[in-house]
Amino acid sequence: MRATKAIIHLENLRHNIRLVRRHIGPDKRICMAVKADAYGHGVHRVVQVALSEGVEYFAIATVQEGIDIRTEGVDAPILLLSLPLPEEVPEVIRYGLTPLVTDRLFLQVLEEAAAAQGRRIEVHLKVDTGMGRIGCTPQEALELAAATSASRWLRLAGVCTHFPVADLPDNPFTTAQIRRFAAVVDAIRVQGIDPGLIHAANSGAVLGYPASHFDMVRPGILLYGYYPSQEQPRSLSFLPVMELESRIVFLKRVPKGTPISYGMTYHAERETTIATIPIGYGDGYSRLLSGRGEVLVRGRRYPIVGRICMDQLMVDLGSDSPAELYDRVTLFGPDPEGPDAERIATLIGTIPYEVTCDINKRVPRLYTDREEKPRPTAFPTAPPD
Ligand SMILES: *Cc1c(COP(=O)(O)O)cnc(C)c1O
């Protein structure tokens, strides 16, 4: 196997699920967001571990993502968070995915496709209380809920909404959304309609807005070990699940002034040792980290120098590094000595979500499932099996 790999620490995923469970209490369900291949971690193993930890619902974005999970033998409800095209709806029904109802027109598309297959399907009503993305207005919700529950082919199994700024603590907009959403749910109940599972909370709301927990929460990023934003108090210790690592494949001593990589944007400032690592933007490790990123070798951080190439990057080890050829190099992960995906996100102006999602298919995923803390900082030279 090539030097560059993503080690997926399933024991950290278990830890994060248990932390969320303890935080929300035993009577709430967890719907785990596993879209985009479980935020880049590999959906199949993530779903299996989540099921074994009592997660009851999964949320994905595309019909194909839902099919991929269903055909692995997962019986749990799979919520389709994004809207499919009408021509994709027959597959939604065939694979027993749970779509969102957002308007009359789409309700009709769902109904006709369900009728055509003679299958009654579960749907969730999506109310837009302020995200501005998809969903009906709070004013339309009651009528749509009534139309759904009156349908022979649809069963209203849930009502949900989504928050744009739940990652900001004590934000009045989020509080107002929760109130608006609760009023919609009440109005549905008052009409004698069973709204099914009420859910709203993404990771930010799970942490900061207990009133948003309702029957079920929908965290993603927290379960992969990161806070949704810098603003949140770090009250719980989530552990990063993905560890991106590689090895040193070339070492050289260079004199002061030696140019390094494309564009020759960097010249050695003194005599130093330069290591070449076989990872680049072709693996989804952002080129924006050129001259900014850092890596961990033998418990120490070293800067990336010169431009990151498609398949390789260079690191300045300085003059006194104990690093040797074929040493393990950590690009990001749970080791507190080294960078994590949040640190990388900060360096290049994005969010940890994008950092883990971007690690692409060229990087093999290796799974560990030890019920223990992440590896100590002094790395052994040999990679894990
Ligand atoms: C992705 C997503 C979530 C999970 O968001 P996190 O910030 O990762 O917790 C929840 N709900 C919806 C609708 C989403 O699209």
Side-chain angles (χ1 to χ4, degrees):
M1 184 182 289
R2 70 180 288 220
T4 298
K5 47 183 96 66
I7 299 169
I8 308 300
H9 293 273
L10 296 171
E11 65 277 8
N12 290 0
L13 174 62
R14 293 182 190 278
H15 166 90
N16 298 336
I17 294 171
R18 291 171 195 176
L19 268 189
V20 165
R21 169 94 56 215
R22 209 170 311 142
H23 179 71
I24 62 177
D27 56 335
K28 313 275 182 196
R29 289 170 212 243
I30 297 176
C31 171
M32 181 173 185
V34 294
K35 59 210 188 196
D37 203 22
Y39 292 35
H41 293 68
V43 74
H44 295 302
R45 293 295 296 272
V46 164
V47 164
Q48 289 310 326
V49 165
L51 283 169
S52 75
E53 292 293 330
V55 169
E56 289 168 294
Y57 249 79
F58 295 95
I60 42 81
T62 72
V63 176
Q64 189 58 51
E65 287 175 346
I67 294 173
D68 288 346
I69 304 175
R70 188 63 87 214
T71 51
E72 287 280 309
V74 172
D75 292 330
I78 301 172
L79 196 59
L80 182 60
L81 296 174
S82 298
L83 290 173
L85 290 171
E87 56 263 40
E88 296 177 280
V89 167
E91 297 248 276
V92 171
I93 289 156
R94 191 163 301 122
Y95 288 92
L97 310 181
T98 304
L100 300 175
V101 167
T102 50
D103 54 68
R104 275 282 194 172
L105 200 64
F106 191 61
L107 184 149
Q108 206 179 327
V109 169
L110 291 171
E111 227 178 3
E112 284 169 9
Q117 291 182 37
R119 285 174 75 155
R120 189 157 183 260
I121 62 159
E122 294 197 342
V123 301
H124 288 212
L125 177 64
K126 176 69 177 278
V127 188
D128 184 0
T129 57
M131 174 69 186
R133 194 166 63 181
I134 55 172
C136 67
T137 65
Q139 294 73 34
E140 295 163 334
L142 183 56
E143 193 223 309
L144 262 182
T148 305
S149 72
S151 167
R152 212 184 127 194
W153 298 105
L154 308 180
R155 191 175 88 75
L156 184 61
V159 178
C160 57
T161 194
H162 193 44
F163 302 118
V165 285
D167 51 327
L168 308 177
D170 302 318
N171 185 276
F173 189 83
T174 303
T175 314
Q177 277 188 281
I178 296 169
R179 218 177 314 114
R180 220 171 290 146
F181 181 57
V184 165
V185 172
D186 281 347
I188 293 171
R189 289 209 171 105
V190 163
Q191 291 298 307
I193 300 166
D194 178 2
L197 288 173
I198 310 306
H199 54 104
N202 55 3
S203 291
V206 165
L207 291 173
Y209 298 87
S212 74
H213 294 179
F214 297 102
D215 300 327
M216 181 163 82
V217 298
R218 294 192 313 265
I221 197 72
L222 279 182
L223 302 179
Y224 302 104
Y226 292 99
Y227 280 80
S229 75
Q230 312 268 9
E231 277 78 9
Q232 259 137 353
R234 304 293 153 114
S235 46
L236 300 170
S237 58
F238 293 97
L239 301 174
V241 175
M242 183 187 289
E243 179 170 40
L244 182 65
E245 70 160 48
S246 190
R247 309 268 296 271
I248 296 174
V249 292
F250 190 70
L251 270 181
K252 60 177 176 282
R253 195 77 190 156
V254 300
K256 181 178 172 187
T258 305
I260 303 292
S261 197
Y262 286 121
M264 303 199 298
T265 54
Y266 179 84
H267 294 77
E269 285 155 14
R270 50 185 166 26
E271 187 186 330
T272 189
T273 300
I274 300 286
T276 301
I277 321 296
I279 181 171
Y281 63 81
D283 298 297
Y285 187 79
S286 177
R287 186 170 175 277
L288 298 174
L289 289 159
S290 300
R292 290 189 208 165
E294 52 204 353
V295 305
L296 185 72
V297 186
R298 294 197 184 218
R300 285 206 225 165
R301 291 197 194 199
Y302 298 97
I304 293 170
V305 291
R307 285 195 185 146
I308 293 173
C309 313
M310 189 182 290
D311 317 301
Q312 304 177 69
L313 59 80
M314 273 63 78
V315 168
D316 186 354
L317 295 176
S319 294
D320 59 345
S321 172
E324 290 176 12
L325 188 64
Y326 302 124
D327 269 358
R328 182 202 310 279
V329 176
T330 304
L331 288 303
F332 65 80
D335 189 329
E337 300 295 317
D340 59 14
E342 183 174 45
R343 165 79 183 145
I344 287 178
T346 304
L347 286 173
I348 62 176
T350 185
I351 50 179
Y353 301 69
E354 191 178 9
V355 174
T356 64
C357 275
D358 275 357
I359 303 308
N360 64 35
K361 293 278 180 277
R362 191 166 84 173
V363 179
R365 267 63 172 171
L366 250 78
Y367 294 87
T368 71
D369 197 3
R370 290 161 295 167
E371 295 265 8
E372 60 186 37
K373 286 271 153 60
R375 272 201 308 272
T377 56
F379 288 168
T381 321
D385 305 319

